[in-house]
């Protein structure tokens, strides 16, 4: 009965992901919906208004502050 050997070409499962790969935003276009979802909130009119105000005050950096 053959035993399975780990594939040497595969990276180990506990490898740390480089910071540059963790951020998906490629430009400066951040929508209020993006900000609400990144904050872990529901898409409600009140939360969307909160996100609009936050984006107006902080710009796209508002999303960066919420993400690791």
């Amino acid at each position: 009965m053959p035993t399975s050997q780990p594939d040497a070409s595969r990276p180990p499962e506990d490898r740390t992901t480089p910071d540059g790969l963790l951020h998906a935003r490629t430009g400066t276009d951040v929508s209020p919906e993006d900000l609400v979802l990144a904050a872990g909130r529901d898409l409600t009119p009140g939360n969307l208004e909160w996100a609009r105000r936050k984006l107006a005050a902080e710009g796209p950096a508002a999303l960066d502050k919420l993400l690791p």
Side-chain angles (χ1 to χ4, degrees):
M1 185 164 171
T3 60
S4 56
Q5 296 285 330
D7 185 1
S9 65
R10 288 192 340 210
E13 294 296 322
D14 62 341
R15 239 179 47 169
T16 304
T17 303
D19 190 51
L21 297 177
L22 294 175
H23 303 284
R25 188 165 60 93
T26 58
T28 57
D29 295 336
V30 178
S31 71
E33 290 84 0
D34 294 334
L35 198 59
V36 170
L37 294 174
R41 298 179 177 194
D42 292 328
L43 289 172
T44 64
N47 287 340
L48 289 170
E49 184 54 37
W50 163 81
R52 285 185 195 96
R53 289 192 310 270
K54 192 161 181 70
L55 283 172
E58 300 176 22
L63 184 63
D64 294 332
K65 292 177 183 178
L66 292 172
L67 300 175

